[in-house]
Amino acid sequence: MSHCELEEVTQCINDKISLIKKLLDLRAVASDADKRAFLLKIEQDVNAINDLLDRFEKCVTQQRDLLKHLKELDDFFQEDMQDARHLKENIPQHMPCKGQQAAQGGQADTQAELSEPPLPKKPPRSHIKEMEFITMQEFDTIPQYMKGRVTYDQLNAAVRSINTAVMAKYRILQQPAKSLSNTARKLHQRFKEQETKDTKGLFFVVEEDLRELAQLKLDKRFVGMLNMLRHCQRLKELRGGGLTRYVLL
């Protein structure tokens, strides 16, 4: 046995001897009736302190659980703050019009998706109709084969360009022909010739309008976006006289 181990054993024996002496002293004190009552009072106080310590430990445990719960709530709050900050920093350039309803029938078959809705009621001629932007819910209903790689923002950019052409066209049409320049008067005449009995009072553009008034490139990709807008019931095609008329709904 090493020197350190011997010292530890000796200390342990001395501690036990000291404890035995204290117990013997207390036993001697307990034989005295007056002192015994005093010891019983001390025992009651010790038990009361132990009860308070148990209650305190229970309270500490509850507060620790509450702190953990508050920490979780704070983490959720921080995530919501990050989401709100991201939304604030990435507000889309357009917002859907008030009261616009999401398109329905996302599970319909291909024929139903491409079915043509009825023409809208003819609005007052003094008002120029604009196509409403596509909502994210509507965009999600468009079949993937129809969307391809076109994004939500790109589709609404096409809506904005079509509206640009519509506004430019009907501002010219709403002015007296005599007040227009030669170039605008020719456009005015062309626009009038494009109208038929089915389009009177409605708002539409043709491919030439989109190219000249909105500087759009009518490639395969844009034609695909026109089909997507038909699916979302934003426009309807009317053909006749060698022209395809895109009527706003």
Side-chain angles (χ1 to χ4, degrees):
M1 181 181 293
S2 66
H3 176 71
C4 292
E5 291 176 343
L6 181 60
E7 286 185 349
E8 291 178 359
V9 172
T10 302
Q11 182 64 40
C12 181
I13 294 173
N14 289 335
D15 291 342
K16 289 184 178 296
I17 292 173
S18 176
L19 180 59
I20 292 171
K21 288 181 178 180
K22 291 179 180 178
L23 290 174
L24 290 173
D25 292 340
L26 290 173
R27 183 178 181 181
V29 171
S31 61
D32 189 324
D34 295 336
K35 294 179 179 179
R36 182 177 179 81
F38 183 72
L39 288 176
L40 290 175
K41 181 62 171 62
I42 292 177
E43 181 183 9
Q44 293 175 355
D45 292 342
V46 170
N47 290 334
I49 292 174
N50 285 334
D51 182 60
L52 288 174
L53 289 174
D54 291 340
R55 292 165 59 185
F56 179 76
E57 183 178 0
K58 183 178 180 180
C59 182
V60 169
T61 301
Q62 292 175 344
Q63 293 298 318
R64 185 182 293 112
D65 293 339
L66 178 60
L67 181 62
K68 180 180 178 182
H69 179 64
L70 291 175
K71 180 63 170 61
E72 293 174 351
L73 290 178
D74 182 67
D75 292 339
F76 290 141
F77 176 75
Q78 294 300 328
E79 291 178 3
D80 290 341
M81 286 291 294
Q82 291 179 0
D83 292 341
R85 190 177 299 109
H86 175 75
L87 290 173
K88 181 179 179 181
E89 295 174 353
N90 296 273
I91 297 176
Q93 298 178 355
H94 52 269
M95 295 296 291
C97 296
K98 183 178 180 181
Q100 184 174 343
Q101 300 295 323
Q104 301 295 325
Q107 302 299 324
D109 58 13
T110 303
Q111 186 64 30
E113 288 164 353
L114 297 179
S115 62
E116 300 291 352
L119 288 171
K121 295 181 180 180
K122 296 181 180 181
R125 221 28 204 186
S126 59
H127 167 73
I128 300 178
K129 182 179 180 64
E130 290 187 86
M131 185 184 300
E132 294 180 344
F133 288 109
I134 302 297
T135 65
M136 182 58 73
Q137 290 83 359
E138 289 176 306
F139 185 77
D140 291 339
T141 67
I142 301 175
Q144 186 58 46
Y145 78 87
M146 190 181 294
K147 284 192 289 191
R149 296 185 178 181
V150 175
T151 66
Y152 173 73
D153 288 334
Q154 289 171 341
L155 181 59
N156 275 313
V159 172
R160 188 181 301 107
S161 297
I162 292 173
N163 284 337
T164 297
V166 171
M167 293 296 293
K169 173 179 178 178
Y170 285 92
R171 281 172 181 164
I172 292 175
L173 279 173
Q174 289 180 357
Q175 297 181 48
K178 295 181 179 180
S179 65
L180 299 174
S181 64
N182 290 334
T183 301
R185 192 179 300 116
K186 292 179 180 179
L187 289 174
H188 187 282
Q189 181 62 31
R190 189 184 82 191
F191 297 154
K192 297 294 290 183
E193 292 173 354
Q194 292 171 354
E195 293 184 348
T196 67
K197 63 179 182 179
D198 296 325
T199 62
K200 287 291 185 179
L202 301 179
F203 295 88
F204 71 92
V205 288
V206 300
E207 293 183 357
E208 191 174 9
D209 300 333
L210 296 174
R211 281 192 295 265
E212 294 182 5
L213 302 177
Q215 288 75 51
L216 284 173
K217 182 180 180 181
L218 303 183
D219 53 11
K220 182 177 179 180
R221 181 168 175 272
F222 185 78
V223 172
M225 287 192 282
L226 290 176
N227 289 333
M228 294 165 65
L229 294 174
R230 287 176 55 200
H231 170 81
C232 294
Q233 299 185 9
R234 289 299 190 276
L235 56 81
K236 178 183 178 68
E237 291 184 6
L238 287 179
R239 301 176 185 271
L243 290 175
T244 299
R245 297 164 180 83
Y246 301 104
V247 182
L248 273 63
L249 299 177

